[in-house]
Amino acid sequence: MKTTNEIIIIDLEATCWENDRIPIGQKVDIIEIGICRLNRTTQAISDKQSIYVIPERSKISKFCIELTGITPQLIEEKGIYFEEACEKIRDEYHSAQLTWAGFGNFDKEQVMEQCDDLGIENPFSEHYINVMHQFKNYNGLHKMMGLKRALKFLNMNFEGHHHSGADDAYNAAKILRETLR
């Protein structure tokens, strides 16, 4: 697979419910796109931000608020529609030409599903790195592990708050940087 010098790393937070019980008539919606950029030459991680997204197919549950800290009020104040978020990523990160990555396949699959469902052009290229698999293969492991455990395995500290999209993307970028050396 072609890997560009700059890689966009994302981490999504999405509407969720206790025991994964999606209410009838609702679908999982992205409510935060955490994003940053990794420069393979300089090893710098930059342009970290949270893009809050207005859910169009679901409501934010109490469980979701407790897990992510994302409230309907926060979305009302800072949220933009998913289509606008995709345009912002395309414009600010030039994402269509770059390799992109996420910790696992959920992020890739959710972006693709939501773009398809809403009839929106995917802002990312076809070149995706699953950081979880990259980490597993780099370390010769037989089992997957979560983001926090993977950082600990590499003697790195988790920076920020878990289930903050921007912080999780940044921490995934640290793992990816290590595995690409």
Side-chain angles (χ1 to χ4, degrees):
M1 177 185 72
K2 171 188 152 207
T3 303
T4 53
N5 184 54
E6 284 194 352
I7 301 171
I8 304 302
I9 298 90
I10 70 163
D11 183 84
L12 304 177
E13 299 305 324
T15 51
C16 54
W17 300 269
E18 204 161 3
N19 301 318
D20 290 327
R21 290 195 180 135
I22 302 171
I24 293 170
Q26 295 190 44
K27 290 185 177 184
V28 174
D29 267 318
I30 295 167
I31 55 175
E32 180 191 6
I33 303 169
I35 189 167
C36 63
R37 183 187 313 266
L38 170 64
N39 183 306
R40 294 180 63 201
T41 303
T42 65
Q43 302 290 297
I45 301 169
S46 62
D47 300 328
K48 173 182 149 186
Q49 70 172 306
S50 288
I51 301 168
Y52 293 102
V53 180
I54 298 165
E56 298 175 65
R57 307 171 303 168
S58 62
K59 302 267 186 255
I60 299 173
S61 70
K62 184 178 179 213
F63 174 81
C64 189
I65 293 168
E66 290 170 3
L67 182 68
T68 66
I70 299 171
T71 63
Q73 295 84 353
L74 176 65
I75 294 298
E76 194 174 304
E77 290 170 17
K78 297 185 177 181
I80 59 177
Y81 286 101
F82 182 66
E83 186 169 15
E84 293 173 78
C86 290
E87 289 171 13
K88 178 179 175 77
I89 291 166
R90 218 178 277 109
D91 293 345
E92 290 182 21
Y93 291 86
H94 309 288
S95 57
Q97 297 90 25
L98 299 176
T99 301
W100 62 301
F103 200 82
N105 271 331
F106 171 79
D107 302 292
K108 177 184 179 186
E109 291 168 1
Q110 185 61 36
V111 166
M112 291 170 66
E113 186 277 326
Q114 196 157 329
C115 284
D116 286 348
D117 193 57
L118 297 175
I120 296 166
E121 184 184 348
N122 187 330
F124 298 105
S125 74
E126 70 227 27
H127 304 291
Y128 180 80
I129 298 172
N130 179 329
V131 179
M132 185 188 294
H133 283 288
Q134 180 88 9
F135 167 80
K136 182 182 131 263
N137 295 339
Y138 174 80
N139 290 292
L141 301 173
H142 299 288
K143 292 176 105 180
M144 299 293 188
M145 60 177 72
L147 182 60
K148 282 183 138 181
R149 284 190 58 212
L151 284 163
K152 193 172 191 154
F153 185 89
L154 294 171
N155 295 313
M156 294 179 185
N157 292 323
F158 186 92
E159 295 180 46
H161 299 284
H162 197 32
H163 297 299
S164 156
D167 292 342
D168 287 352
Y170 179 83
N171 284 288
K174 289 176 18 182
I175 293 169
L176 182 59
R177 176 175 61 193
E178 180 65 31
T179 66
L180 292 175
R181 288 188 177 177

